[in-house]
């Protein structure tokens, strides 16, 4: 658990340009997107004592949250009308655009001084566009993608990478602390999304290495579980090795993070690299392998299903 020292300006009720210090008494959190990760994140907010208003395309996905005290909203517009802090974690940039900038969207219908926190992995340029549109309406937008998968979401141990105004980040920090333990302000609007691209590039090549290494272990006659005991805490150690390699060994390919969403992330990263004139051969290979799996019907499997490329 990270311990944060409140600055003098955060100890007051307001600190410049409409940035209001948030408490559980003056905050209603809107939450849009109750999928694999979003459901756990909204649950953690409820457990922390926040009032939570939820919206999901499929109400059934939010049913367990309603049973825990959340309030249902019929659209993003209703969320915007009822909440003063709104968190979104949806599927694709097209979904983000619709939720924020559509006719029934958050920016279109939100109140002045509302804090908008998009935790979807999306494009840096869209994050910048939403920031500018929100600013014009007197709202405060942050791009704050996360890493840590279903386990991190469930245990409130996500890494959160934040872009936007520093004052807005400081205002919502207590809320982010209910969701993660590694929360870092990265810079201006779009910086959170760029940081997430760095994260996904590391994971992309890493997943190739893990899958290939486990296949090697099995083919050489080793017990893969014993192998993991030796290498997980050494120089080869990583979150993916500790959390996803055991699932590979067990044949558990249920999604903590969908292949289809990882392909979306890698595609964004690849396109951003191209814009900067940068070659990314490791990312390119990983993207091609995952696309092959998706074509074979694995798009709704977890990213650890890359192991099937060698296993089968």
């Amino acid at each position: 658990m990270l311990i944060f020292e409140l600055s003098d300006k955060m100890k007051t009720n307001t600190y410049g340009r409409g940035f209001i210090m948030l408490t559980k008494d003056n905050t209603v959190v809107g939450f849009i997107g109750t999928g694999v990760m979003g459901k756990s994140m909204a649950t953690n907010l409820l457990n922390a004592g926040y009032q939570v208003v939820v919206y999901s395309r499929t109400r059934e996905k939010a049913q367990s949250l309603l049973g825990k005290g959340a309030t249902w909203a019929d659209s993003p517009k209703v969320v915007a009308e009822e909440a003063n802090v709104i968190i979104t974690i949806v599927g694709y940039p097209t979904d983000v655009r619709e939720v924020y900038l559509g006719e029934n969207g958050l920016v279109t219908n939100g109140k002045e001084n509302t804090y908008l926190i998009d935790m979807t992995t999306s494009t840096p340029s869209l994050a910048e566009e939403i920031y500018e549109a929100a600013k014009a309406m007197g709202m405060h937008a942050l791009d704050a993608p996360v890493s840590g998968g279903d386990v991190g979401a469930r245990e409130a141990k996500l890494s959160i990478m934040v872009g936007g105004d520093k004052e807005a980040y400081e205002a919502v920090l207590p809320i982010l602390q209910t969701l993660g333990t590694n929360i870092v302000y990265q810079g201006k609007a779009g910086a959170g999304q760029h940081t997430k691209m760095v994260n996904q590039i590391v994971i992309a090549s890493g997943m190739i290495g893990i899958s290939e290494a486990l296949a090697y272990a099995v083919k050489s006659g080793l017990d893969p579980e014993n192998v993991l005991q030796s290498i997980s805490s050494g120089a080869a150690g990583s979150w993916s090795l500790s959390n996803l390699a055991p699932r590979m060994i067990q044949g558990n390919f249920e999604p903590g993070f969908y292949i289809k969403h990882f392909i979306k992330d890698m595609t964004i990263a690849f396109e951003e690299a191209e814009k900067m004139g940068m070659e990314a051969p490791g990312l390119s290979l990983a993207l091609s392998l995952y696309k092959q799996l998706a074509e074979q019907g694995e798009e709704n499997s977890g990213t650890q299903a890359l192991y099937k490329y060698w296993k089968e």
Side-chain angles (χ1 to χ4, degrees), residues 34 39 56-66 72:
T34 55
K39 186 180 296 183
S56 181
R57 286 177 178 172
T58 307
R59 179 167 177 156
E60 287 71 24
K61 288 185 177 180
Q63 204 60 48
S64 64
L65 295 170
L66 302 181
W72 173 254

Side-chain angles (χ1 to χ4, degrees), residues 97-131:
R97 178 175 293 279
E98 181 63 26
V99 165
Y100 280 90
L101 303 176
E103 182 179 349
N104 291 310
L106 302 176
V107 173
T108 312
N109 298 281
K111 304 183 294 290
E112 189 175 3
N113 290 327
T114 296
Y115 293 87
L116 305 172
I117 309 171
D118 184 29
M119 307 188 92
T120 314
T121 299
S122 183
T123 62
S125 59
L126 181 55
E128 294 169 7
E129 183 180 348
I130 290 170
Y131 169 85

